Amino acid sequence: QLQLVESGGGSVQAGGSLSVTCEWSGYNYKKLCMGWSRQTGTERDWIAVIGPDGSTIYHDSVKGRFTITKDTVKNIMYLQMNNLKPEDTAVYTCVADVGACVETGTPYLFGNFVGQGTRVNVSA
């Protein structure tokens, strides 16, 4: 089993920056496709995914503002969020799938492993 623990997030005014991190532990899988989803109410969007080879793909709404990276030595994934907008307010969740990422042209994860989520609030 893989454990995912998010940290970071918080509150910021529009135009500001925040970062969220996801530390993973547990079984040492050779390949992980990882990413972030965000949920507002009942709507969930996959916003950024990073593949085992470090390739990335973003939701159109965050392109140019969010950056996903990972450190496979420290087992930490990061999401740097710049120029935040009120519509970015959501619960951000770390997700991981074993193996390669699904090539759909848009961010997507099956959700083999899911973190508990961390809240980001952006005020106008």
Side-chain angles (χ1 to χ4, degrees):
Q1 288 294 319
L2 197 69
Q3 288 80 44
L4 306 174
V5 179
E6 299 99 333
S7 60
S11 297
V12 69
Q13 287 189 324
S17 297
L18 284 173
S19 64
V20 289
T21 63
C22 173
E23 185 171 359
W24 72 87
S25 62
Y27 192 84
N28 188 22
Y29 293 99
K30 290 186 177 181
K31 283 189 177 181
L32 286 174
C33 177
M34 302 187 71
W36 294 91
S37 70
R38 67 184 180 190
Q39 185 163 358
T40 304
T42 59
E43 185 174 336
R44 179 185 293 277
D45 289 320
W46 300 102
I47 58 169
V49 170
I50 185 164
D53 61 353
S55 59
T56 58
I57 188 167
Y58 297 92
H59 190 277
D60 286 345
S61 65
V62 305
K63 281 181 183 176
R65 300 188 298 122
F66 290 14
T67 303
I68 185 172
T69 57
K70 64 179 179 180
D71 184 330
T72 56
V73 174
K74 296 180 179 178
N75 284 3
I76 299 178
M77 179 175 64
Y78 306 91
L79 184 68
Q80 177 65 39
M81 303 177 288
N82 298 328
N83 190 22
L84 282 159
K85 304 176 181 180
E87 51 263 42
D88 294 319
T89 295
V91 175
Y92 286 71
T93 303
C94 172
V95 183
D97 288 344
V98 177
C101 294
V102 174
E103 293 186 9
T104 65
T106 58
Y108 182 78
L109 288 154
F110 290 106
N112 293 163
F113 302 100
V114 182
Q116 80 283 0
T118 185
R119 176 165 289 279
V120 170
N121 185 62
V122 185
S123 58

